[in-house]
Amino acid sequence: MKNNKVILTAAITGAVHVSSMSPYLPITPEDIVAQAVGAARAGAAVVHLHARDPKTGEPSSDLKLMRQMVSAIKAECDVIICITTGASQMMTVQERLSVVPDMKPELASCNAGSMNFVLAGLVPQLTDDAPAWEKTYLAGTYDNVFANTYQGLDTYIHTMQENGTIPEFEVYDAGMINNIAYFKKQGILKCPIYLQFVMGIQGGLPASVDNLVFLRNTAEKQLDEFNWSCAAAGRHQFPMITAAMAMGGNARVGLEDNLYIRPRVLAKSNAEQIQAAAAAAHILGREVATAEEARAILNLKGADQVNF
């Protein structure tokens, strides 16, 4: 184990789950801020943020909404703010990436390849009074490719590096590690490499310990130096992040990935999930990293260098 410190990330709201599935999912900027600050105080070194339309809950690329949230979070605590550039798979590259040159965050997500990101299986969970966009959005993924082309990745990587933002590469399958290795070998990717293995998405690699070991081993063969973390969808969340921490990796939890704290029991907040992850880390003999320790591990520029 290279570092006994474990970086815990809270993925606060995402663009997948919808309010009709849980009353605890934060949608408004105020609720997202409150849950992000709560997660940080519970032990999260990083919060991963999406913006949602406060009236409908629909994923939003509104820079004013995002700036409102990140400024409020920064004013309350020293947590690392990782802003999404995934946002919604229905958005354009320009919509998804606009936040980086505008706000220059320390960390931003960077989806590492195109994939079928299928969410249509969630449609039966919607209630009859759910907003119309929810069914349209989720059902629409059945006939949509989440496009992250090489040209797109080139643009993301260049834009992030020009703004001092470290990409958090979202890796859904092993071929995406090869994509990252290509940009490194071409001399395009020059900054430190941070991988987030996202498992259990329909269209991506199934969530299993064997597959997690495969992803880590593949990265070790393809990339010289990197840090890594694991996230997993739904009921796979806690088994997979516990395995990752036992393997020396970092962990992401949060209501973006999983609405529950245990089978059939909804999590009441992101902080509740972070507390559970921290407890598992302590049982494994790992120490939970502070935000400053995480900045040093990931080679981030510091909160004083962002534009918010």
Side-chain angles (χ1 to χ4, degrees):
M1 189 177 294
K2 294 181 180 179
N3 194 322
N4 196 45
K5 298 287 185 178
V6 59
I7 299 169
L8 298 182
T9 295
I12 303 299
T13 188
V16 174
H17 291 129
V18 290
S19 55
S20 61
M21 296 174 182
S22 170
Y24 307 111
L25 182 72
I27 295 296
T28 66
E30 294 78 11
D31 286 345
I32 291 170
V33 168
Q35 289 224 24
V37 172
R41 291 174 177 164
V46 181
V47 291
H48 172 73
L49 293 185
H50 289 243
R52 311 286 287 256
D53 184 307
K55 294 181 179 178
T56 67
E58 191 168 2
S60 174
S61 59
D62 187 331
L63 292 177
K64 291 181 180 179
L65 277 177
M66 184 60 76
R67 180 170 290 280
Q68 177 185 347
M69 294 190 300
V70 298
S71 298
I73 293 167
K74 185 184 177 187
E76 289 287 330
C77 61
D78 190 38
V79 72
I80 297 162
I81 298 175
C82 174
I83 303 180
T84 184
T85 64
S88 163
Q89 59 176 290
M90 306 302 181
M91 293 178 186
T92 65
V93 170
Q94 290 72 26
E95 287 178 302
R96 290 160 53 191
L97 189 55
S98 61
V99 69
V100 173
D102 187 84
M103 297 178 204
K104 306 183 188 302
E106 295 180 80
L107 196 62
S109 65
C110 183
N111 292 279
S114 299
M115 65 178 297
N116 293 318
F117 197 121
V118 182
L119 305 170
L122 295 174
V123 171
Q125 299 182 32
L126 298 177
T127 58
D128 292 338
D129 61 348
W133 75 263
E134 295 184 356
K135 183 175 181 180
T136 300
Y137 173 64
L138 296 175
T141 63
Y142 199 73
D143 190 30
N144 183 68
V145 173
F146 185 28
N148 296 285
T149 66
Y150 269 49
Q151 181 61 61
L153 282 167
D154 190 298
T155 302
Y156 282 118
I157 291 167
H158 272 112
T159 302
M160 290 185 188
Q161 291 181 153
E162 288 166 3
N163 288 279
T165 300
I166 298 295
E168 179 189 283
F169 287 107
E170 312 298 302
V171 174
Y172 299 88
D173 213 333
M176 296 186 186
I177 298 170
N178 195 46
N179 296 345
I180 298 164
Y182 168 85
F183 287 101
K184 185 175 186 297
K185 291 173 184 175
Q186 293 298 313
I188 296 169
L189 177 60
K190 301 173 183 177
C191 63
I193 296 174
Y194 183 38
L195 308 178
Q196 185 74 252
F197 298 136
V198 184
M199 309 187 73
I201 300 297
Q202 188 63 47
L205 202 62
S208 72
V209 175
D210 283 346
N211 283 339
L212 179 60
V213 171
F214 172 56
L215 288 173
R216 186 199 62 182
N217 289 350
T218 300
E220 287 178 344
K221 293 173 183 176
Q222 292 273 51
L223 307 168
D224 293 330
E225 293 185 8
F226 62 94
N227 286 295
W228 67 278
S229 178
C230 178
R235 62 185 175 85
H236 303 293
Q237 182 182 71
F238 281 101
M240 294 308 305
I241 65 107
T242 302
M245 291 190 292
M247 291 164 57
N250 302 297
R252 175 176 123 174
V253 294
L255 299 184
E256 171 174 349
D257 303 327
N258 174 33
L259 295 173
Y260 293 83
I261 189 65
R262 60 182 62 87
R264 295 180 294 280
V265 179
L266 289 169
K268 292 182 173 61
S269 67
N270 283 273
E272 186 177 15
Q273 290 191 352
I274 285 290
Q275 288 167 346
H282 291 143
I283 290 170
L284 293 168
R286 303 286 303 274
E287 296 179 19
V288 175
T290 65
E292 278 308 301
E293 289 168 337
R295 285 184 174 97
I297 293 167
L298 300 177
N299 293 290
L300 303 183
K301 62 185 178 183
D304 60 333
Q305 299 297 310
V306 301
N307 188 36
F308 55 84

